[in-house]
């Protein structure tokens, strides 16, 4: 007896009417449409402008409201516009716009794609951490316990007030045998400190210090700094003149240090992209950039948008870098694990 076999069309993708992908149907709808090259020219221009800003951010002048530094502070966030422009390009059915958006995306990935990968490693022989604790912190004792729980061997705190210093000293005494407070910054260490002194960053009061930490793997110069704050004002723009002056002074002090191993911990009120910090960033490596995962944004704590708190090193190899949980401060604490080069001293 003959048997009839029936196949449900499209049930398994092998019938005469194969299920086509949405992309394929979209592209088929564009075939023969000469307008795909003429539509969306404004979108294409915006995408190209975005790519140009990212490519030439170092050439944006600072003469008017420090516009260059302001752009560089939030430079990674320019990538938010790329998917928006991409969707609009599809809606407009504009091949010109889509090509321009792809170009902008390639520029962004060239600048920041490396930060999207996880570069954290295992090992290391020294853990360091830093935290701007906020002068108005409602719970300094709890903040101290939180950052000590990170396991840091060396801990830097910034924005210390005279009334809060005894609270931090008491809360951290059981974890850190050695410490020094200079002005509004302090350093706590499980290992001996010597050659402790304030660092003049041209402010008229102390917001930076330097100490030598004698760790099991060797001696390392540790700098703690809190550079002046910057402000965004309607009439003055991005006001950062004092921050920039202090950054240059800090860079000079680090460059003149007699030790080859150097760690910088602190709130620099600027990102690694900000040209105003070149005196520091040109001679040191960011642990987040070298051995972190993601951007490591640290401020503001409620919705981090920029990494203005930094851990930088030279003569030392970063192994891992991460952001710690929120405390009572408006900044997030950050930490890093490093390996000290045995050939440096």
């Amino acid at each position: 007896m003959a048997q009839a076999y029936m196949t449900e069309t499209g049930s398994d993708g092998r019938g005469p009417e194969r299920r086509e992908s949405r992309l394929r149907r979209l592209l088929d709808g564009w075939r023969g449409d000469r307008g795909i090259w003429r539509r969306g020219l404004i979108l294409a221009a915006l995408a190209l402008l975005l790519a140009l800003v990212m490519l030439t951010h170092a050439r944006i002048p600072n003469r008017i409201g420090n516009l260059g530094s302001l752009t560089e502070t939030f430079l990674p966030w320019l990538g938010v516009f790329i998917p928006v422009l991409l969707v609009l390009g599809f809606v407009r059915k504009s091949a010109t716009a889509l090509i321009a958006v792809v170009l902008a995306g390639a520029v962004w990935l060239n600048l920041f794609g490396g930060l999207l990968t996880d570069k954290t490693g295992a090992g290391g022989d020294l853990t360091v951490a830093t935290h701007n604790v906020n002068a108005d912190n409602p719970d300094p004792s709890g903040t101290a316990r939180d950052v000590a729980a990170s396991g840091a061997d060396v801990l830097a705190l910034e924005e210390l007030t005279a009334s809060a210093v005894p609270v931090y000293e008491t809360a951290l005494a059981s974890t850190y045998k050695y410490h020094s407070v200079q002005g509004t910054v302090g350093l706590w260490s499980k290992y001996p400190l010597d050659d402790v002194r304030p660092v003049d960053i041209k402010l008229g009061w102390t917001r930076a210090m330097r100490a030598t930490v004698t760790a099991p793997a060797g001696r390392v110069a540790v700098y703690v700094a809190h550079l002046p704050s910057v402000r965004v004002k309607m009439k003055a723009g991005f006001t950062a003149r004092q921050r920039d002056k202090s950054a240059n002074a800090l860079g000079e002090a680090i460059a003149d240090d007699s030790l080859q191993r150097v760690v910088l911990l602190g709130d620099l009120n600027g990102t690694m992209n900000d040209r105003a910090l070149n005196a520091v960033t040109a001679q040191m490596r960011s642990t987040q950039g070298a051995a972190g995962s993601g951007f490591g944004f640290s401020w503001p704590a409620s919705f981090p948008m920029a990494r203005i708190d930094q851990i930088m090193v030279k003569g030392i190899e970063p192994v891992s870098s991460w952001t710690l949980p929120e405390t009572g401060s408006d900044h997030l604490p950050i930490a890093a694990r490093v390996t000290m080069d045995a050939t440096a001293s």
Side-chain angles (χ1 to χ4, degrees), residues 49-62:
L49 178 62
L50 185 64
L52 184 64
V53 169
M54 290 187 290
L55 275 174
T56 63
H57 65 87
R59 296 182 177 274
I60 298 175
N62 261 341

Side-chain angles (χ1 to χ4, degrees), residues 173-217:
S174 61
T175 305
Y176 300 98
K177 184 177 179 180
Y178 309 93
H179 87 279
S180 175
V181 174
Q182 303 285 325
T184 62
V185 297
L187 185 65
W188 278 258
S189 174
K190 296 178 180 179
Y191 309 122
L193 301 176
D194 63 83
D195 197 12
V196 180
R197 60 180 184 267
V199 175
D200 181 11
I201 55 173
K202 311 303 181 185
L203 282 175
W205 69 95
T206 301
R207 281 178 45 153
M209 64 175 290
R210 182 252 188 231
T212 298
V213 176
T214 304

Side-chain angles (χ1 to χ4, degrees), residues 74-90:
F74 299 103
L75 194 62
W77 287 96
L78 293 182
V80 170
F81 296 105
I82 294 173
V84 175
L85 292 173
L86 185 65
V87 171
L88 292 176
F90 272 111

